[in-house]
Structure formats: C-alpha cells, structure tokens
Amino acid sequence: MSYRKTLKLVCGLAGGSAVLVFAAAAADSRGLFGEPRGREAAGRWSRLTVLRAAQPAWTPASHTPNPTGHAWDFNWDKRDPSTLTNGKKKESSTEDPSSEQDNGKPKATRNILLIRHSQYNLSGLSDKERILTPLGREQAELTGSRLAALGLKYDVLIHSSMARATETANIISKHLSGEGVDLVSCDLLREGAPIEPVPPVTHWKPDAVQYHEDGARIEAAFRRYIHRADTKQKEDSYEIIVCHANVIRYFVCRALQFPPEGWLRMGLNNGSITWLTIRPSGRVALRTLGDSGFMPPDKLTRT
C-alpha cells in the first residue's frame, strides 16, 4: 500500500472510517494488493500496525453519552396549571372538572427576543457618558431593520435603564413605530454579575458582595420576564428585551435548565438577537443565540 493511501486512511479515522481501515488491513493480509517483497512488505505491515493502534476499540457503551440524570422540570416557572389551586369549592356538582381544568391551562406561546445593546463608549466614567459610538448607532439601526423585516407583531419593547441599552432600544423602536410598540424601562435588567462563573476567569473578578446583590436582581428579572404565558393570554406574543450580555447569557442558561454558572462560556456580539420560545406546556426552545448574521462583517463587535 502506498504512503498516500495510508495517509488517506489515517485521515479517515476522524470521520469514522474505521471499517475502511480494517477492510484494507484484511485485504492486504490476503495479498489482494499484490505479493509483498522484502522491505516493501515490512514497511507495509508497519504502516498497518500504526493504523490499528490509532483506531480505538469501539463499543456502543464507549460512544454513547451518559445522561446527567436531571429530568426536565415542567414547573420551573411555578406556573404549571396542574400544581395551581385556588382553594375555592365548586358551586355546582354538575360542573365538568375536565372543562374547568382545560380553561385553566395556558394556550399561547411566548416568544422573547433578547437584544444585546450596541457598541458604546468604554471610556465613559459614568453610565450617562457610556453612550453608543457612531458604529454602535449603525448596529442598532441594523438590528431594528432586521426585527422589522421578520414581519412579527411585537407586543412590547422592554429595555434596561442603562444609557447604552436605552439608546439602543430608542433606535430600534423607530423601525417598529408603525406597530405602536410600547417602550418600558426596567432597572432589574441592568448589567451585573449574575453568578460566579465556572470555570473561573482571571480578567474579571467581582467581589462576593457584587455577586450577592447583582445575582438576586438578575434572578428577579428572570422570574419577571421569562415564564410561560398567562392563562388569560389568547394569542402568541413577541416581546423584545434590550439589555446586556451577562443578563442574556444567564437567562439562556436558566431557561434551558443548564447550570447557570456556565453563562460566561458563551459570547454575544453587540446588537445580536437571542430568541427564546416558551410553550404553554413549559417547554423552552432556543431558536437563535447571538444572531448577528444580518450585519456586515466590518460592523461586528463584542465590547
């Protein structure tokens, strides 16, 4: 077997070509590639030995990931209808229990589009000075255009009260002005340190007090905004929340029931769109994470 063929087989291991390797070895042992002579035979068999050594033994058990043992908690938002009771007695014994139970179930799906603020002035000494850069304003325009192009009927635009998020939200709202979307400011959505990340990082080390205070606030924001629809909501909703990278990444981990301390393992570009869908059953899906493909490459930043 030539060196080139051997190299192809080795490269094939990464793509799962173990069968090809063993077939080649068997064919070679039967002399199907021609009778070996002298050093050629020795070299050939040494190459096949390397191939066999490079291919680990395969068993179903060794290639099947083990489940973590953590089942999905359908009552993660404490709004599962089957766990809620109003404590009132039924006024009529002729009432249909199944009808009453069905009326108490959410029927609408909530779509939450989490937008990271655009690029801002990092040299600002106070929040008021940390306004958007010219590029940041361009990014907000692009994000607003993208949201408008999706053709969705947005119900509300909520934003962090920090300057960079407020300015981003105001620019985006101009693209949605024809839909009459209300702007709502919220202090709970301000940037902060949600929980100590694992693994730890050396370039950013808030103290324990900041984790304690910010963590409680950001968790409160999660509970306020990330949950299944109320039973009174009849139609699917599309809600925009303009806030910050740490807040969005923490929300994603909590909503998907991933370990929240893993939030810093993700990265989000400025002006990017993260889309969460919450079904009436309590199921949650991440439709996009940090989508910024609608921006030209020279407009992408992560500050």
Side-chain angles (χ1 to χ4, degrees):
M1 188 185 300
S2 69
Y3 176 77
R4 182 169 304 199
K5 289 182 179 179
T6 304
L7 182 61
K8 286 183 179 179
L9 288 174
V10 172
C11 293
L13 292 175
S17 301
V19 174
L20 182 59
V21 173
F22 287 114
D28 196 272
S29 66
R30 289 173 171 78
L32 298 180
F33 294 114
E35 289 299 325
R37 291 189 299 275
R39 289 186 179 180
E40 182 186 350
R44 178 185 304 170
W45 283 107
S46 65
R47 289 193 292 271
L48 288 174
T49 302
V50 170
L51 287 175
R52 292 191 186 100
Q55 177 61 36
W58 186 91
T59 62
S62 66
H63 284 69
T64 303
N66 295 321
T68 62
H70 300 294
W72 179 262
D73 178 12
F74 281 93
N75 195 30
W76 58 273
D77 59 352
K78 308 306 178 189
R79 296 168 188 250
D80 185 346
S82 65
T83 66
L84 300 175
T85 57
N86 56 18
K88 295 180 181 179
K89 294 182 179 180
K90 295 176 185 174
E91 306 208 348
S92 171
S93 58
T94 59
E95 257 185 74
D96 183 0
S98 61
S99 174
E100 181 182 353
Q101 186 179 14
D102 186 65
N103 290 334
K105 290 182 178 180
K107 297 177 176 60
T109 294
R110 292 185 68 216
N111 294 274
I112 303 170
L113 288 85
L114 301 161
I115 313 298
R116 189 190 175 194
H117 61 78
S118 301
Q119 186 192 63
Y120 67 102
N121 175 27
L122 291 170
S123 60
L125 299 179
S126 66
D127 179 57
K128 291 182 179 179
E129 296 176 351
R130 292 169 187 161
I131 59 176
L132 299 185
T133 64
L135 174 56
R137 289 191 286 273
E138 285 187 65
Q139 291 170 339
E141 296 283 359
L142 290 166
T143 303
S145 296
R146 173 59 175 169
L147 291 171
L150 291 176
L152 303 173
K153 182 183 177 182
Y154 300 106
D155 297 89
V156 66
L157 198 168
I158 306 164
H159 61 86
S160 157
S161 57
M162 298 187 83
R164 54 190 182 269
T166 301
E167 190 176 357
T168 301
N170 287 333
I171 294 173
I172 289 175
S173 69
K174 295 176 183 177
H175 293 266
L176 312 176
S177 57
E179 304 178 26
V181 180
D182 293 330
L183 268 75
V184 179
S185 178
C186 180
D187 288 334
L188 292 178
L189 293 167
R190 294 172 72 89
E191 183 64 301
I195 187 174
E196 190 169 356
V198 176
V201 293
T202 57
H203 63 276
W204 185 71
K205 288 189 175 181
D207 56 32
V209 174
Q210 186 175 353
Y211 281 123
H212 179 71
E213 295 178 350
D214 290 353
R217 173 177 55 78
I218 296 171
E219 174 63 22
F222 173 81
R223 297 186 185 192
R224 174 177 292 187
Y225 297 114
I226 312 298
H227 56 77
R228 77 191 75 191
D230 187 84
T231 56
K232 297 177 182 179
Q233 182 175 326
K234 303 303 179 184
E235 297 181 357
D236 294 351
S237 60
Y238 296 87
E239 304 158 48
I240 302 171
I241 299 179
V242 180
C243 54
H244 310 270
N246 295 0
V247 177
I248 294 172
R249 292 180 286 187
Y250 178 79
F251 280 10
V252 168
C253 287
R254 286 282 283 109
L256 297 179
Q257 300 186 22
F258 292 163
E261 62 271 18
W263 64 272
L264 198 51
R265 303 171 199 172
M266 295 177 276
L268 299 175
N269 287 335
N270 294 111
S272 61
I273 301 172
T274 296
W275 187 337
L276 285 171
T277 296
I278 306 176
R279 303 292 181 188
S281 64
R283 293 181 181 273
V284 180
L286 179 64
R287 297 189 62 173
T288 64
L289 175 66
D291 176 26
S292 55
F294 52 87
M295 294 190 187
D298 61 339
K299 304 297 182 184
L300 296 176
T301 60
R302 195 181 293 179
T303 58

